[in-house]
Amino acid sequence: MFTTLLIANRGEIACRVAASAHRLGVRTVAVYSDADASARHVAACDAAVHIGGSEPRASYLRADAILDAARRTGAQAIHPGYGFLSENEGFAQACADAGIVFVGPPISAIAAMGSKSAAKTLMEKAGVPLVPGYHGDNQEPGFLQSQADAMGYPVLIKASAGGGGKGMRIVESSAAFGEALASCKREAASSFGDDKVLIERYLQKPRHIEIQVFADTHGNCLYLFERDCSVQRRHQKVIEEAPAPGMTDERRRAMGEAAVAAARAVSYVGAGTVEFIVEPDGRFYFMEMNTRLQVEHPVTEMITGHDLVEWQLRVAAGEALPVTQEELSITGHAIEARIYAENPDKGFLPSIGTLTTLNFPAHSAFQNGDIRVDGGVRAGDTITPFYDPMIAKLIVRGADRDQARARMVQALGEIRSVGVQTNIAFLRRLMLDEAFAGADLDTGLIDRQHDSLFPPAAPAPDSTLALAVAALLARQGLAQSAVRQNTVHVDPWAQADGWRINGSYRQVFSLLEQEALRDVHITRSGQAWTYTHDGRSQSFEWHTEAPAPRQYQVRVRLGTSDASASVVIEGENVHVFANGAVQVLQVHDAVAHAQEDSNEHEGGLTAPMPGKIISISVRAGDKVKSGDALLVMEAMKMEHTIHAPSDGTVEELFFDVGDQVSDGAELIAITV
């Protein structure tokens, strides 16, 4: 086994690899960019080396800097994690040339599977079923469109060197093909340095099922069963589970053996994943092989009991696989949810900012347990625009799928996150969704269940308002509604119970929810407290505890009803976590907000986040229609198109292609 391992990645996967390496007694070296100087993965390793600027191309994609760091720290091996250089044959070759072990497959296997087109050609020769499509070298737009027209729509355009859901477009008609192709090629070139694409017939209601394979240098190759990754948004996985619901032993064996055959065809070594698209009748087609560890590998670890990162390190060190195919078995069911800094209600737009609060329920970290959290950030860390906005992976297991799903619902409801928008509430709704609960899975589930997954916001009930008010009273120094019965002499002026010399107390709390202003009147007469909202008065009792700064555990009794919650107050925002959901209220100061409306720039379009302008479709003076594409920004490895909100005339463009823009920057002025 190696004595020193350099981890050429960041965030959650770098922390995950470090955890297994430490269990094996291996010293670890982190690399970090300017933006990651204080990141969690840096603290998780025994040593760390700065490798460049915040942009991935200036740091985590710099093979020379990473290899130099390995040499300087005495690392005998480099684990690339996933993403960045993990499937880059040039980097693997550079490691070999430097005499450093690349913890991954042979260079020839990366080359064979690195191009989706070449991989499909290889699988076709091996007799593995393929989705009808064009995987050739002719990239002339007119030719590609003719191929798509011949297949029939809808079709899927995919970056040949792509992965992670990037560089993919579903095209519904011939008229939309040209624009989709250009956008796909831009994103492919930006993300992978290669704009080559392939075209496939887009299957209706397919499932995405992948097989985990593993091979060693002693001729052994096996599969560790399957994962269902059908639930996706923007072609990126949201939920993964193992085993796949409804999978028969016969089909599992057929898919597993096909995956092993694919791995053997390229003399594979290490961890790999063979991905299949599966039609409702059970027919499956090869999609691609990922020559690395997958984001969702923990669900396989949960049902098999094996540490796949440990396997990677042992195989890379020349050891044989620890078990045979016959010795592997499935125990229970596991589900993984990817927790992202994003806003599901705005098309899953990534969110940036500082995670001021981040608390998870009791869990194990980077190793199996009923509740497991593999995370790459901590409270106080910043989600930047430079990298994927994943906060953590929440993985649960149960004796069966129903128990695992119930545990996931409970665990999601116990997370306390403040500072950025997250998808936690959306994930919980997804777990409770009728289609998901019934395992009616396909890659279009989120769109199909849109109405139930994106319900209109309901007004906060009085119980939520009362919980928020109690927390605000606690911030003012009042701990509870009852007068304390002290057995020793205490200065009455120091008691935090709302006592007043004349026996009365009154305060109005103006709480802004969405666009609605809710005025809550709190009064005390003698020992009795009263809560009044919308003309209705109720008796009011509360008790608070403060386990951490700005965090309160609150219990209230409103009339005859009791409620409890965790409440986090950040500035003007009051976050009430109750019944598995969170509602955010804002303490409204009429004077401070009086000028807000007059300061808004009428007709201006602003950047939803920091990013780079990569294309502009209009010029000053152009007439535009509502919904027209105006420009395209690139942020967090994804393209975001800015559309015209209404008919009008472009008055002015404030940026050019290639410019970096900040969050909220005015991009285009339009007159109506």
Side-chain angles (χ1 to χ4, degrees):
M1 181 54 65
F2 320 109
T3 58
T4 300
L5 173 73
L6 184 141
I7 304 169
N9 217 296
R10 65 175 302 280
E12 167 269 327
I13 187 56
C15 295
R16 167 70 187 92
V17 173
S20 284
H22 288 161
R23 286 195 287 269
L24 291 172
V26 177
R27 174 175 174 263
T28 56
V29 177
V31 292
Y32 64 92
S33 68
D34 289 346
D36 281 341
S38 301
R40 182 177 180 179
H41 77 276
V42 174
C45 291
D46 300 299
V49 179
H50 176 254
I51 55 170
S54 299
E55 290 278 355
R57 292 176 183 174
S59 50
Y60 298 107
L61 292 174
R62 284 188 58 199
D64 59 335
I66 291 169
L67 287 167
D68 181 62
R71 284 188 289 263
R72 287 161 50 196
T73 55
Q76 298 111 336
I78 293 178
H79 194 303
Y82 49 69
F84 294 136
L85 296 172
S86 62
E87 295 177 280
N88 186 301
E89 66 176 290
F91 179 62
Q93 183 64 61
C95 289
D97 293 342
I100 297 172
V101 175
F102 177 78
V103 182
I107 298 165
S108 58
I110 298 175
M113 292 298 186
S115 165
K116 287 183 171 64
S117 298
K120 288 178 183 294
T121 299
L122 184 64
M123 293 301 102
E124 190 172 31
K125 291 179 180 178
V128 178
L130 299 177
V131 177
Y134 175 72
H135 315 121
D137 294 328
N138 189 337
Q139 295 292 295
E140 197 278 318
F143 174 80
L144 291 175
Q145 178 147 8
S146 69
Q147 293 294 308
D149 291 345
M151 282 175 224
Y153 293 89
V155 299
L156 182 65
I157 308 174
K158 300 171 69 173
S160 182
K166 298 175 181 65
M168 298 175 66
R169 300 290 186 275
I170 299 171
V171 185
E172 300 286 350
S173 67
S174 182
F177 185 88
E179 182 179 341
L181 176 65
S183 175
C184 186
K185 280 182 168 289
R186 279 197 307 269
E187 190 169 285
S190 173
S191 297
F192 314 112
D194 183 352
D195 73 349
K196 185 178 179 183
V197 300
L198 55 86
I199 315 292
E200 291 181 344
R201 180 168 63 85
Y202 184 68
L203 302 180
Q204 303 296 312
K205 206 175 181 183
R207 289 173 69 179
H208 183 154
I209 296 178
E210 60 190 30
I211 305 292
Q212 177 72 63
V213 295
F214 231 107
D216 61 25
T217 56
H218 301 268
N220 303 306
C221 187
L222 50 75
Y223 63 94
L224 291 95
F225 314 115
E226 79 282 352
R227 299 184 286 255
D228 193 310
C229 306
S230 300
V231 182
Q232 303 177 6
R233 58 98 172 96
R234 297 196 307 197
H235 309 298
Q236 289 186 304
K237 301 163 187 173
V238 176
I239 299 292
E240 301 98 359
E241 56 183 307
M247 177 67 76
T248 64
D249 290 339
E250 181 181 13
R251 189 178 305 155
R252 176 177 293 122
R253 187 179 306 108
M255 294 181 73
E257 290 175 354
V260 167
R264 289 192 181 279
V266 293
S267 302
Y268 201 79
V269 174
T273 304
V274 182
E275 303 198 2
F276 296 97
I277 198 82
V278 182
E279 296 203 78
D281 62 6
R283 287 180 295 172
F284 60 91
Y285 307 99
F286 174 85
M287 272 203 311
E288 62 182 329
M289 182 176 187
N290 289 305
T291 55
R292 54 171 167 79
L293 198 67
Q294 292 281 88
V295 178
E296 57 272 18
H297 75 272
V299 294
T300 296
E301 295 183 327
M302 293 282 243
I303 66 166
T304 63
H306 293 285
D307 183 332
L308 298 190
V309 174
E310 179 180 338
W311 279 29
Q312 283 188 296
L313 297 177
R314 291 191 180 280
V315 166
E319 297 182 26
L321 291 175
V323 298
T324 64
Q325 187 70 62
E326 292 70 30
E327 291 173 319
L328 289 169
S329 61
I330 295 173
T331 301
H333 196 96
I335 302 175
E336 174 179 302
R338 302 187 188 190
I339 298 172
Y340 277 96
E342 64 183 12
N343 188 343
D345 294 328
K346 293 186 177 180
F348 298 96
L349 192 69
S351 176
I352 65 168
T354 300
L355 276 163
T356 55
T357 300
L358 182 62
N359 300 325
F360 289 98
H363 63 274
S364 59
F366 305 111
Q367 58 185 336
N368 291 344
D370 288 343
I371 299 176
R372 167 177 169 175
V373 175
D374 287 11
V377 295
R378 305 150 298 187
D381 287 350
T382 298
I383 305 297
T384 74
F386 303 111
Y387 314 115
D388 184 272
M390 187 166 70
I391 295 171
K393 302 182 306 196
L394 175 64
I395 312 104
V396 301
R397 67 180 177 191
D400 54 28
R401 187 174 189 265
D402 285 342
Q403 186 181 60
R405 189 175 63 86
R407 281 183 173 157
M408 179 63 80
V409 169
Q410 182 175 3
L412 287 167
E414 293 176 1
I415 299 173
R416 306 290 180 254
S417 175
V418 174
V420 296
Q421 296 279 350
T422 75
N423 64 342
I424 295 170
F426 167 79
L427 291 171
R428 192 169 185 272
R429 292 194 298 271
L430 183 56
M431 286 293 115
L432 293 168
D433 181 77
E434 181 179 1
F436 183 85
D440 182 14
L441 307 177
D442 64 82
T443 56
L445 183 145
I446 290 177
D447 289 336
R448 177 161 48 88
Q449 298 296 107
H450 184 275
D451 290 348
S452 61
L453 294 177
F454 298 92
D462 277 310
S463 60
T464 297
L465 299 179
L467 289 161
V469 165
L472 290 168
L473 289 168
R475 185 172 68 168
Q476 295 175 5
L478 279 69
Q480 57 188 12
S481 55
V483 176
R484 296 177 183 174
Q485 301 299 315
N486 296 291
T487 57
V488 296
H489 177 73
V490 174
D491 181 356
W493 303 102
Q495 295 190 91
D497 60 3
W499 182 84
R500 294 293 184 273
I501 193 168
N502 64 1
S504 64
Y505 170 91
R506 179 183 300 274
Q507 187 170 356
V508 178
F509 293 89
S510 293
L511 302 174
L512 192 62
E513 180 194 16
Q514 303 295 333
E515 300 299 323
L517 192 61
R518 319 282 291 277
D519 285 338
V520 176
H521 297 255
I522 300 297
T523 57
R524 175 190 171 189
S525 179
Q527 303 303 318
W529 289 77
T530 302
Y531 167 102
T532 303
H533 174 241
D534 280 348
R536 182 190 179 199
S537 296
Q538 302 177 72
S539 60
F540 180 43
E541 300 174 33
W542 85 90
H543 180 272
T544 65
E545 295 178 1
R550 305 179 305 280
Q551 298 183 37
Y552 304 91
Q553 293 298 125
V554 184
R555 297 198 310 273
V556 301
R557 174 167 292 171
L558 200 57
T560 58
S561 299
D562 290 2
S564 62
S566 297
V567 181
V568 179
I569 302 177
E570 286 289 345
E572 296 180 328
N573 294 322
V574 184
H575 302 254
V576 182
F577 295 88
N579 302 316
V582 60
Q583 287 183 286
V584 182
L585 305 166
Q586 186 181 74
V587 180
H588 186 73
D589 184 330
V591 175
H593 295 281
Q595 300 300 318
E596 280 188 351
D597 291 341
S598 62
N599 289 336
E600 292 181 358
H601 183 91
E602 183 178 356
L605 292 171
T606 59
M609 68 187 67
K612 179 189 292 185
I613 305 297
I614 60 174
S615 74
I616 299 176
S617 305
V618 295
R619 294 178 297 180
D622 285 356
K623 302 288 186 182
V624 295
K625 297 287 187 182
S626 176
D628 284 354
L630 304 177
L631 59 80
V632 179
M633 289 180 59
E634 182 185 60
M636 290 182 165
K637 302 182 181 179
M638 299 294 291
E639 287 191 2
H640 305 277
T641 302
I642 305 298
H643 298 276
S646 60
D647 294 356
T649 302
V650 176
E651 185 73 20
E652 188 175 359
L653 298 167
F654 297 104
F655 295 95
D656 294 322
V657 171
D659 286 350
Q660 291 282 347
V661 298
S662 59
D663 184 21
E666 187 176 356
L667 303 173
I668 297 178
I670 295 178
T671 56
V672 178

Tab-separated table of all heavy atoms in Angstrom, residues 28-46:
chain	number	residue	atom	x	y	z
A	28	THR	N	-2.335	11.713	3.441
A	28	THR	CA	-3.029	12.346	2.320
A	28	THR	C	-2.555	13.772	2.098
A	28	THR	O	-2.218	14.490	3.041
A	28	THR	CB	-4.551	12.362	2.551
A	28	THR	OG1	-4.832	13.018	3.792
A	28	THR	CG2	-5.105	10.949	2.581
A	29	VAL	N	-2.568	14.157	0.821
A	29	VAL	CA	-2.189	15.511	0.422
A	29	VAL	C	-3.343	16.121	-0.364
A	29	VAL	O	-3.828	15.521	-1.333
A	29	VAL	CB	-0.918	15.514	-0.448
A	29	VAL	CG1	-0.582	16.934	-0.902
A	29	VAL	CG2	0.248	14.898	0.307
A	30	ALA	N	-3.798	17.286	0.041
A	30	ALA	CA	-4.838	18.016	-0.683
A	30	ALA	C	-4.192	19.036	-1.611
A	30	ALA	O	-3.081	19.496	-1.375
A	30	ALA	CB	-5.769	18.723	0.294
A	31	VAL	N	-4.907	19.379	-2.669
A	31	VAL	CA	-4.539	20.526	-3.492
A	31	VAL	C	-5.703	21.506	-3.436
A	31	VAL	O	-6.856	21.104	-3.267
A	31	VAL	CB	-4.224	20.124	-4.944
A	31	VAL	CG1	-2.952	19.295	-5.013
A	31	VAL	CG2	-5.387	19.349	-5.585
A	32	TYR	N	-5.402	22.790	-3.575
A	32	TYR	CA	-6.485	23.761	-3.451
A	32	TYR	C	-6.227	25.002	-4.295
A	32	TYR	O	-5.093	25.354	-4.591
A	32	TYR	CB	-6.698	24.163	-1.989
A	32	TYR	CG	-5.543	24.888	-1.344
A	32	TYR	CD1	-5.461	26.285	-1.356
A	32	TYR	CD2	-4.526	24.181	-0.707
A	32	TYR	CE1	-4.409	26.955	-0.763
A	32	TYR	CE2	-3.466	24.841	-0.102
A	32	TYR	CZ	-3.408	26.229	-0.135
A	32	TYR	OH	-2.361	26.889	0.458
A	33	SER	N	-7.317	25.631	-4.676
A	33	SER	CA	-7.281	26.866	-5.451
A	33	SER	C	-7.378	28.063	-4.518
A	33	SER	O	-7.550	27.912	-3.306
A	33	SER	CB	-8.461	26.881	-6.425
A	33	SER	OG	-9.676	26.994	-5.690
A	34	ASP	N	-7.316	29.250	-5.087
A	34	ASP	CA	-7.475	30.463	-4.275
A	34	ASP	C	-8.790	30.439	-3.506
A	34	ASP	O	-8.839	30.788	-2.327
A	34	ASP	CB	-7.446	31.710	-5.171
A	34	ASP	CG	-6.061	31.998	-5.739
A	34	ASP	OD1	-5.073	31.412	-5.241
A	34	ASP	OD2	-5.973	32.800	-6.688
A	35	ALA	N	-9.876	30.028	-4.190
A	35	ALA	CA	-11.197	30.046	-3.560
A	35	ALA	C	-11.324	29.004	-2.460
A	35	ALA	O	-12.194	29.108	-1.592
A	35	ALA	CB	-12.280	29.816	-4.616
A	36	ASP	N	-10.467	27.974	-2.475
A	36	ASP	CA	-10.587	26.854	-1.542
A	36	ASP	C	-9.522	26.845	-0.452
A	36	ASP	O	-9.286	25.812	0.182
A	36	ASP	CB	-10.513	25.529	-2.311
A	36	ASP	CG	-11.824	25.173	-2.988
A	36	ASP	OD1	-12.863	25.720	-2.588
A	36	ASP	OD2	-11.801	24.345	-3.922
A	37	ALA	N	-8.884	27.975	-0.209
A	37	ALA	CA	-7.789	28.006	0.765
A	37	ALA	C	-8.215	27.511	2.144
A	37	ALA	O	-7.423	26.898	2.867
A	37	ALA	CB	-7.211	29.418	0.865
A	38	SER	N	-9.457	27.768	2.516
A	38	SER	CA	-9.952	27.351	3.838
A	38	SER	C	-11.014	26.269	3.728
A	38	SER	O	-11.820	26.087	4.654
A	38	SER	CB	-10.522	28.569	4.588
A	38	SER	OG	-9.548	29.572	4.751
A	39	ALA	N	-11.019	25.539	2.625
A	39	ALA	CA	-12.069	24.557	2.373
A	39	ALA	C	-11.945	23.336	3.276
A	39	ALA	O	-10.880	23.034	3.825
A	39	ALA	CB	-12.033	24.125	0.905
A	40	ARG	N	-13.045	22.617	3.390
A	40	ARG	CA	-13.093	21.448	4.266
A	40	ARG	C	-12.105	20.370	3.831
A	40	ARG	O	-11.484	19.718	4.668
A	40	ARG	CB	-14.518	20.880	4.290
A	40	ARG	CG	-14.678	19.682	5.204
A	40	ARG	CD	-16.112	19.196	5.269
A	40	ARG	NE	-16.239	18.044	6.140
A	40	ARG	CZ	-17.382	17.424	6.393
A	40	ARG	NH1	-18.510	17.852	5.843
A	40	ARG	NH2	-17.412	16.373	7.199
A	41	HIS	N	-11.944	20.171	2.521
A	41	HIS	CA	-11.055	19.090	2.087
A	41	HIS	C	-9.600	19.398	2.427
A	41	HIS	O	-8.802	18.477	2.616
A	41	HIS	CB	-11.228	18.809	0.587
A	41	HIS	CG	-10.567	19.800	-0.327
A	41	HIS	ND1	-11.151	20.992	-0.697
A	41	HIS	CD2	-9.368	19.776	-0.964
A	41	HIS	CE1	-10.354	21.649	-1.510
A	41	HIS	NE2	-9.255	20.937	-1.700
A	42	VAL	N	-9.254	20.674	2.517
A	42	VAL	CA	-7.894	21.054	2.910
A	42	VAL	C	-7.651	20.643	4.358
A	42	VAL	O	-6.599	20.077	4.705
A	42	VAL	CB	-7.676	22.563	2.709
A	42	VAL	CG1	-6.320	22.993	3.255
A	42	VAL	CG2	-7.796	22.923	1.233
A	43	ALA	N	-8.641	20.905	5.213
A	43	ALA	CA	-8.519	20.542	6.624
A	43	ALA	C	-8.545	19.030	6.836
A	43	ALA	O	-7.993	18.528	7.816
A	43	ALA	CB	-9.647	21.201	7.422
A	44	ALA	N	-9.180	18.298	5.902
A	44	ALA	CA	-9.326	16.848	6.060
A	44	ALA	C	-8.045	16.083	5.757
A	44	ALA	O	-7.929	14.906	6.111
A	44	ALA	CB	-10.456	16.344	5.163
A	45	CYS	N	-7.090	16.724	5.083
A	45	CYS	CA	-5.870	16.029	4.667
A	45	CYS	C	-4.692	16.393	5.567
A	45	CYS	O	-4.719	17.381	6.296
A	45	CYS	CB	-5.559	16.357	3.207
A	45	CYS	SG	-6.747	15.644	2.042
A	46	ASP	N	-3.653	15.585	5.482
A	46	ASP	CA	-2.474	15.780	6.327
A	46	ASP	C	-1.589	16.916	5.838
A	46	ASP	O	-0.830	17.493	6.618
A	46	ASP	CB	-1.663	14.483	6.376
A	46	ASP	CG	-2.475	13.329	6.938
A	46	ASP	OD1	-2.911	13.424	8.096
A	46	ASP	OD2	-2.696	12.338	6.209
